[in-house]
Amino acid sequence: MELRMAVPADAAALADLGARSFVAKFGDMYTPEDLDNFLNESHSAAKTAKEIADPAMRVVVAEAEGRLLGFCKLVMACGWPEHAQGRRVIELKQLYTDPDTTGRGIGSALMDRALEIARDHGADEVQLSVWSGNDGAQNFYARYGFGKIADIHFMVGEQRDDEFLYARML
């Protein structure tokens, strides 16, 4: 497996993987209309291309033999300043793996790289949000030293999901 920074040519594949991963984990929670609108807004190739080109973001891909296995997106700014504990906070926006490759260490490799990028950027805190019912992700983040610091929410169309804000000091 190789980890590398995303390039513009990755946008469509990243958007597809993001949408497939989201639907596999959460698709049955939403009305078809809310899900379609969310995917079109959040996991489109156009949006992903903008994120790859954005100097305020870092998008890392994991691949093997030309196959995209996962990715993570970092926003090099604080997502929730009202909950910041550090002085230079960044947000881990997404960490997704292909639903067919879960459990192969891809998420761990991406998390290690995300924390490395955060340190190299001079961050002293990383924040992320996780759905309140996603025990597996919460356990994964806890293994990396993240802990819950606030209750927040996340909108998917008209549906409001209860989320937890997690953070880790570096």
Side-chain angles (χ1 to χ4, degrees):
M1 177 177 58
E2 174 191 358
L3 298 179
R4 62 172 176 79
M5 299 307 293
V7 297
D10 294 321
L14 283 168
D16 176 67
L17 176 56
R20 285 188 298 111
S21 297
F22 188 87
V23 169
K25 187 71 176 177
F26 308 112
D28 62 347
M29 294 173 49
Y30 307 106
T31 66
E33 181 179 86
D34 281 349
L35 182 61
D36 286 344
N37 289 338
F38 174 77
L39 294 175
N40 289 332
E41 291 172 15
S42 298
H43 293 286
S44 70
K47 180 171 188 205
T48 303
K50 285 181 185 179
E51 292 170 336
I52 292 168
D54 187 345
M57 288 191 73
R58 307 291 184 274
V59 181
V60 179
V61 299
E63 67 180 0
E65 299 175 3
R67 180 177 175 216
L68 187 63
L69 304 174
F71 66 88
C72 67
K73 296 177 181 178
L74 293 124
V75 178
M76 308 314 280
C78 185
W80 298 272
E82 66 276 19
H83 299 294
Q85 301 166 31
R87 291 183 292 137
R88 191 158 189 189
V89 185
I90 68 167
E91 177 189 356
L92 178 59
K93 188 74 171 171
Q94 295 173 346
L95 194 158
Y96 287 6
T97 60
D98 186 309
D100 296 331
T101 64
T102 302
R104 296 185 189 174
I106 299 160
S108 295
L110 288 165
M111 178 60 82
D112 290 341
R113 181 62 58 88
L115 294 173
E116 178 184 316
I117 290 169
R119 285 186 194 96
D120 289 349
H121 184 70
D124 58 359
E125 180 183 1
V126 178
Q127 296 178 336
L128 60 88
S129 70
V130 60
W131 177 54
S132 61
N134 192 345
D135 295 333
Q138 292 171 39
N139 292 334
F140 174 81
Y141 296 132
R143 286 194 303 271
Y144 276 89
F146 286 85
K148 180 183 170 189
I149 60 169
D151 293 314
I152 59 173
H153 70 275
F154 183 79
M155 297 300 294
V156 175
E158 298 297 315
Q159 183 170 320
R160 178 185 159 140
D161 291 336
D162 292 328
E163 297 237 337
F164 299 144
L165 179 61
Y166 274 40
R168 174 192 164 161
M169 301 302 292
L170 298 177

